Amino acid sequence: MIKSNKIICALDLPDLEDIKRLVYSIEYDILYKFGMEFFYNFGMKGIEEVKKIKPNCKIFLDLKLHDIPNTVKRSIPPLLKKINPDILTIHASGGRKMIEEAVKITNETSLELDIKRPLLIGVTILTSLSQGDLIEMGLNEKLENYVLNYAKLSKNSGLDGIVCSALETRNVKKKLGNNFKIITPGIRILNSNNQDQARVVTPKEAFNNGSDYIVMGRALISAEEPNKVIEKIISEV
Ligand code: C5P
């Protein structure tokens, strides 16, 4: 049995009223993920509207920051000031300098604002990518090796954890320790459609492999009864 606060619901819907209805209807204490689709549609104001429904809800701001170090550095303070997220993502492929600048400014800004420092999490190889996709990009090493390299770089540069598929979780935890957090998207309930995801697992497999959080998008937000899906995940693991 796992706690509901290990489940992250990705609010990837095109209509803010539908999103608000979904958040209102969820009876469990879960995290909510605001990604690019949400942010570019509804912005900071949209997040505020969702917060009105669940004022204490935990926020996973999945904007996957990726740019030159200075630009990433300057983009973080306004996000902390205006949103105060619990988790924030940046691309590990931005490299050591970008990651270190992000860590530094996050620490400084959290102190200055007197807020809880968000977990800074590195995105490794997207769960929609397969080995074949990497080869097409000229990346000929094994996919797991890239994930592990990005994970090591993330840890050595000060990040709190990474996003990767649960297929790589065991290996990363073994090499980098249990305190290094792993967030796993690409979750599918048995017999559901993989859609554009390539490296998928069930919630049970993800937690058994050692993931700290799972991200549930379409398998949860498109369900007829989302609470039943959450209840099933909690009781099965
Ligand atoms: O609908 P589905 O469960 O596939 O949604 C997965 C969510 O997790 C999406 O919001 C996607 O942006 C996010 N995500 C991902 N792979 C990553 C990081 C985040 O699928 N590496």
Side-chain angles (χ1 to χ4, degrees):
M1 186 111 156
I2 54 119
K3 291 205 177 122
S4 60
N5 62 10
K6 300 285 169 191
I7 299 172
I8 301 171
C9 173
L11 297 175
D12 301 335
L13 289 170
D15 185 303
L16 188 56
E17 291 312 308
D18 286 341
I19 292 174
K20 283 159 69 179
R21 257 192 297 277
L22 172 73
V23 172
Y24 184 78
S25 75
I26 290 185
E27 295 159 4
Y28 292 87
D29 175 26
I30 61 171
L31 288 91
Y32 293 97
K33 181 173 99 73
F34 299 88
M36 282 190 272
E37 181 179 349
F38 185 101
F39 205 71
Y40 296 147
N41 270 317
F42 315 116
M44 309 264 186
K45 279 219 169 95
I47 299 184
E48 271 164 31
E49 288 207 30
V50 172
K51 268 184 164 175
K52 277 190 203 147
I53 299 170
K54 297 252 164 90
N56 298 321
C57 73
K58 292 244 178 348
I59 293 180
F60 176 18
L61 192 57
D62 186 26
L63 296 182
K64 298 188 174 70
L65 305 178
H66 192 186
D67 210 312
I68 59 170
N70 188 52
T71 303
V72 167
K73 176 182 165 186
R74 284 164 181 261
S75 71
I76 291 180
L79 295 177
L80 300 199
K81 229 173 258 170
K82 295 178 187 174
I83 301 171
N84 190 5
D86 296 274
I87 306 177
L88 180 65
T89 52
I90 67 176
H91 268 284
S93 54
R96 178 182 282 271
K97 232 172 149 216
M98 188 201 85
I99 300 174
E100 285 179 348
E101 290 284 3
V103 172
K104 189 163 172 271
I105 197 72
T106 300
N107 291 341
E108 288 169 3
T109 311
S110 303
L111 266 178
E112 197 183 301
L113 297 174
D114 195 20
I115 55 170
K116 191 163 165 259
R117 179 191 172 286
L119 289 181
L120 258 190
I121 299 290
V123 176
T124 60
I125 301 289
L126 295 169
T127 42
S128 53
L129 295 175
S130 65
Q131 187 72 54
D133 294 315
L134 297 191
I135 290 170
E136 199 178 8
M137 293 189 267
L139 304 169
N140 295 315
E141 282 239 15
K142 275 178 84 181
L143 191 149
E144 302 88 87
N145 293 345
Y146 287 112
V147 174
L148 195 60
N149 279 343
Y150 281 155
K152 282 183 189 157
L153 170 70
S154 299
K155 190 170 183 204
N156 294 338
S157 313
L159 294 185
D160 302 293
I162 56 161
V163 181
C164 69
S165 152
L167 301 172
E168 295 105 37
T169 304
R170 255 183 223 282
N171 198 22
V172 173
K173 286 272 183 183
K174 201 168 98 196
K175 301 266 168 43
L176 298 183
N178 217 17
N179 283 340
F180 194 60
K181 300 267 179 280
I182 296 193
I183 301 181
T184 299
I187 302 294
R188 292 293 177 267
I189 309 285
L190 279 183
N191 303 324
S192 68
N193 186 337
N194 284 3
Q195 287 131 335
D196 62 344
Q197 296 284 20
R199 301 179 347 265
V200 300
V201 294
T202 64
K204 191 172 176 170
E205 284 169 321
F207 287 117
N208 283 348
N209 286 358
S211 297
D212 295 282
Y213 299 93
I214 57 168
V215 178
M216 303 278 307
R218 287 160 289 186
L220 179 59
I221 60 180
S222 309
E224 296 241 320
E225 295 182 277
N227 285 306
K228 288 239 164 84
V229 175
I230 298 172
E231 187 191 316
K232 196 155 183 277
I233 295 170
I234 294 172
S235 60
E236 272 182 0
V237 179

